[in-house]
Amino acid sequence: MNWIINYQGILGTLVALFAALIGFGGVIYSQRALATESARQRSHEEARAKSEAEASRRQQLASVINAILGEVQALGLALADASRLLAAQIQIAEAMANQGGDRKTRPRISFRFETPIFNAYVGSIGLLEPEIAFRVANFYGRLMSLGVHNAADAPEMAASLAVRVMRSVEGALSGVQSEAEGLVSMLRKHRDSKN
C-alpha cells in the first residue's frame, strides 16, 4: 500500500506540474498575443500618421502653388502696366531728344512690385519640385532687381542717353514679364496634374 501512497504523491506532483506548465503556457501565449496586437496597432497608427502627414504636406504644397500662382498672375498685370508707363516715358524722352541737343531729363525707371505672398511662403519654397522652386526663386529675384528705385536718385542726363537707359530697362522688364507668363503656365500645369 505504500507504493499506492507514493504513486499518488508522484501522480499529484505530476498533475500539479502539468497544470503549472499549462498555466505558464497560457501566460506566454497571452503575452505573445498582446505583444502581437500591440505591434499591429502601433504599425496601423504609424501608417495612419504617415498618411495624414503626407496628406497635410500635399495640401500645404497645393496652397503654396495656388498662392504663388495668384501672385505671379497679378504681378504679370503689374509688369504689363509698368511696361506701358515706361513706353510712354520713352516717347517723351525721345521727343525731348529730337527737339534739341542739350535737353536733360531723368530716366523714369522707378517701379514698385509688392510680393506679400512670396514673402509669406518663402520658407515653403523648398516644398516645390526643384525645377519649379528654381523658376519661382529666379522670377522673384529678377523682379526684385527691377524693384523700387527712387526717381530722384536717377541722375539728370541727356535725353538721348535717358532713352537708351529706359530702353535697356524696358528689355529687362519685358524679359521678366515673359518669365512670369512661363511660370504661370508651369504652375497651372503642375497644379492641374495633381488634381
Side-chain angles (χ1 to χ4, degrees):
M1 214 133 8
N2 260 350
W3 67 273
I4 293 179
I5 293 175
N6 286 341
Y7 181 72
Q8 284 178 341
I10 292 174
L11 187 60
T13 302
L14 287 176
V15 167
L17 186 59
F18 185 68
L21 282 174
I22 290 174
F24 186 67
V27 168
I28 290 174
Y29 177 78
S30 66
Q31 289 296 324
R32 280 190 172 167
L34 285 174
T36 301
E37 178 61 24
S38 177
R40 188 192 64 74
Q41 189 171 357
R42 259 193 327 273
S43 175
H44 176 71
E45 288 172 4
E46 287 171 0
R48 191 180 81 231
K50 188 175 182 179
S51 174
E52 288 173 358
E54 180 61 24
S56 175
R57 189 193 72 74
R58 279 193 309 271
Q59 184 177 8
Q60 186 178 8
L61 177 61
S63 293
V64 170
I65 287 174
N66 285 327
I68 289 177
L69 175 60
E71 185 169 73
V72 172
Q73 286 174 323
L75 287 168
L77 296 173
L79 286 162
D81 289 343
S83 290
R84 283 191 293 277
L85 290 172
L86 185 58
Q89 292 297 325
I90 290 171
Q91 287 179 346
I92 292 168
E94 283 176 335
M96 288 174 68
N98 291 336
Q99 286 178 357
D102 290 4
R103 296 204 60 180
K104 294 193 177 219
T105 188
R106 292 182 195 277
R108 306 290 187 217
I109 53 173
S110 178
F111 309 105
R112 183 171 192 87
F113 300 109
E114 297 293 330
T115 59
I117 301 297
F118 178 75
N119 295 344
Y121 282 105
V122 74
S124 299
I125 299 300
L127 292 174
L128 302 172
E129 291 178 8
E131 182 184 352
I132 295 173
F134 171 78
R135 295 271 305 266
V136 166
N138 189 54
F139 167 74
Y140 278 97
R142 290 189 62 199
L143 182 73
M144 292 302 113
S145 73
L146 294 172
V148 178
H149 302 286
N150 190 347
D153 290 344
E156 275 198 344
M157 59 185 71
S160 60
L161 180 57
V163 168
R164 287 198 304 269
V165 168
M166 287 189 286
R167 287 250 184 247
S168 172
V169 172
E170 183 180 40
L173 201 55
S174 177
V176 174
Q177 194 172 358
S178 294
E179 197 170 329
E181 292 166 3
L183 185 55
V184 163
S185 176
M186 176 185 261
L187 289 170
R188 278 185 183 154
K189 190 180 296 183
H190 183 74
R191 179 193 64 189
D192 295 344
S193 73
K194 299 298 178 185
N195 289 335

